C-alpha cells in the first residue's frame, strides 16, 4: 500500500512569486486535506477536497487555492507569496468522507519565502 | 484565545516515569477528539481517538471531560521512543473534515 507522497520536499521562493505543491493520496483514499504548519505550531487546516470539489475551507485568503484530480491526487497553489507563508505544507488523505477521523499525512513540503 | 490550547512544555522525564498532558478546547460543538504524535521533522500520526468514557491503549490513557472542555493523555512507563510532540486535536463533526490542532506538547524521555 502506497502512502501519501508530496513534492517537492523543499523549495525556496521569493516574495510575490507563485508556488504549486503536489500530493498523491494513499491508495483507496478519495479525500485530501491540506494543512499549513508554521514552526513551533500545530497544523492549520487550509481546505479539503472530496470528489474533485472543495469540501471545507479554513481561515486562509483566496490566494490559497487547490485542485483535486480524478485519480484523487491534489495540488495546492499559493499566489503572491508573503514571508509568513514560510511553513511546512502537509497533505493528508482519508477514506471516503473521512468518517473515521484519522488522517494519513505525507511528509510535507517545506516552503521558504525570502 | 486559541481554539485548542496545550502546555507547550517541554516535558523532560526519565525512562519509566508517568507523564500527563492536558488540553482545553473552546468550541463546545466539537464532536470528535484525538491525540496525534509528531516526531521531529516528521508528519503527524494518529496516536489514539478520545472517547467520552475514556479509553486506554497499552501504556496510553486518554480522557475527555465535555463539561470542562478538557482532554488529557497519560503515558505510563515512558520509553525513549515516546519522545515526540503530542498534538491535541478536535473536530466539529464526526468526520475528519476540519481538524483543529493544538500547538503541541514536546516530550523528551531521558535515559
Amino acid at each position: 500500500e502506497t502512502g501519501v507522497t508530496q513534492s517537492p520536499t523543499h523549495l525556496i521562493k521569493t516574495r510575490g512569486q507563485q508556488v504549486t505543491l503536489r500530493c498523491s493520496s494513499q491508495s483507496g483514499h478519495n479525500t485530501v486535506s491540506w494543512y499549513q504548519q508554521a514552526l513551533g505550531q500545530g497544523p492549520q487546516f487550509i481546505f479539503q477536497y472530496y470528489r474533485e470539489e472543495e469540501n471545507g475551507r479554513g481561515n486562509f485568503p483566496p490566494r490559497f487555492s487547490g485542485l483535486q484530480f480524478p485519480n484523487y491526487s491534489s495540488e495546492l497553489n499559493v499566489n503572491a507569496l508573503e514571508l509568513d507563508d514560510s511553513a511546512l505544507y502537509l497533505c493528508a488523505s482519508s477514506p471516503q468522507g473521512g468518517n473515521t477521523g484519522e488522517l494519513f499525512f505525507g511528509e510535507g513540503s517545506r516552503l521558504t519565502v525570502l | 484565545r486559541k481554539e485548542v490550547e496545550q502546555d507547550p512544555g517541554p516535558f523532560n522525564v526519565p525512562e519509566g516515569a508517568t507523564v500527563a498532558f492536558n488540553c482545553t478546547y473552546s468550541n463546545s460543538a466539537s464532536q470528535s477528539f484525538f491525540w496525534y504524535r509528531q516526531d521531529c521533522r516528521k508528519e503527524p500520526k494518529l496516536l489514539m481517538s478520545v472517547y467520552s468514557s475514556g479509553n486506554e491503549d497499552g501504556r496510553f490513557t486518554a480522557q475527555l471531560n465535555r463539561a470542562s472542555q478538557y482532554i488529557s493523555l497519560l503515558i505510563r512507563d515512558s520509553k525513549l521512543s515516546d519522545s515526540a510532540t503530542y498534538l491535541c486535536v478536535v473536530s466539529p463533526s464526526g468526520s475528519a473534515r476540519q481538524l483543529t490542532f493544538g500547538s503541541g506538547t514536546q516530550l523528551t524521555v531521558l535515559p
Side-chain angles (χ1 to χ4, degrees):
Chain A
E1 184 177 78
T2 306
V4 178
T5 58
Q6 292 187 242
S7 63
T9 54
H10 295 82
L11 69 166
I12 300 173
K13 293 285 188 178
T14 56
R15 206 167 38 175
Q17 284 190 311
Q18 178 266 343
V19 68
T20 297
L21 308 177
R22 296 178 176 83
C23 170
S24 293
S25 62
Q26 183 165 317
S27 176
H29 290 182
N30 58 13
T31 303
V32 173
S33 304
W34 286 92
Y35 285 77
Q36 180 196 65
Q37 187 172 24
L39 199 60
Q41 300 298 314
Q44 271 197 289
F45 176 73
I46 304 175
F47 41 56
Q48 183 183 80
Y49 279 85
Y50 173 61
R51 293 185 174 177
E52 302 176 55
E53 298 276 337
E54 188 179 287
N55 187 38
R57 188 179 182 94
N59 189 27
F60 280 81
R63 59 188 185 85
F64 285 77
S65 63
L67 284 173
Q68 187 180 32
F69 300 100
N71 66 353
Y72 307 132
S73 66
S74 178
E75 284 183 358
L76 164 65
N77 299 290
V78 186
N79 293 322
L81 284 167
E82 300 177 0
L83 297 179
D84 284 349
D85 295 334
S86 295
L88 180 67
Y89 288 85
L90 293 161
C91 172
S93 72
S94 49
Q96 184 167 350
N99 289 327
T100 65
E102 180 172 9
L103 294 180
F104 297 81
F105 285 89
E107 293 192 356
S109 294
R110 190 168 298 279
L111 171 65
T112 302
V113 182
L114 301 176
Chain B
R1 182 186 172 191
K2 290 185 178 179
E3 288 189 58
V4 179
E5 297 214 46
Q6 296 182 248
D7 182 342
F11 284 60
N12 298 316
V13 302
E15 267 187 293
T18 295
V19 60
F21 303 137
N22 303 317
C23 164
T24 57
Y25 60 95
S26 60
N27 184 355
S28 58
S30 298
Q31 295 290 322
S32 303
F33 309 89
F34 313 93
W35 285 99
Y36 273 69
R37 169 196 169 128
Q38 186 170 24
D39 292 337
C40 187
R41 304 188 76 78
K42 293 286 193 179
E43 73 275 19
K45 292 183 180 178
L46 179 66
L47 178 66
M48 58 196 301
S49 300
V50 187
Y51 303 115
S52 296
S53 53
N55 50 298
E56 190 173 302
D57 182 1
R59 298 181 292 107
F60 298 84
T61 301
Q63 299 273 355
L64 168 64
N65 184 324
R66 284 185 183 270
S68 301
Q69 296 179 205
Y70 170 94
I71 307 163
S72 66
L73 176 69
L74 184 76
I75 305 175
R76 291 182 300 278
D77 188 23
S78 299
K79 312 289 185 192
L80 296 177
S81 57
D82 294 334
S83 297
T85 295
Y86 291 82
L87 298 159
C88 178
V89 186
V90 307
S91 172
S93 70
S95 78
R97 175 175 297 185
Q98 179 172 341
L99 298 186
T100 302
F101 287 76
S103 296
T105 299
Q106 187 180 339
L107 171 67
T108 301
V109 181
L110 303 168

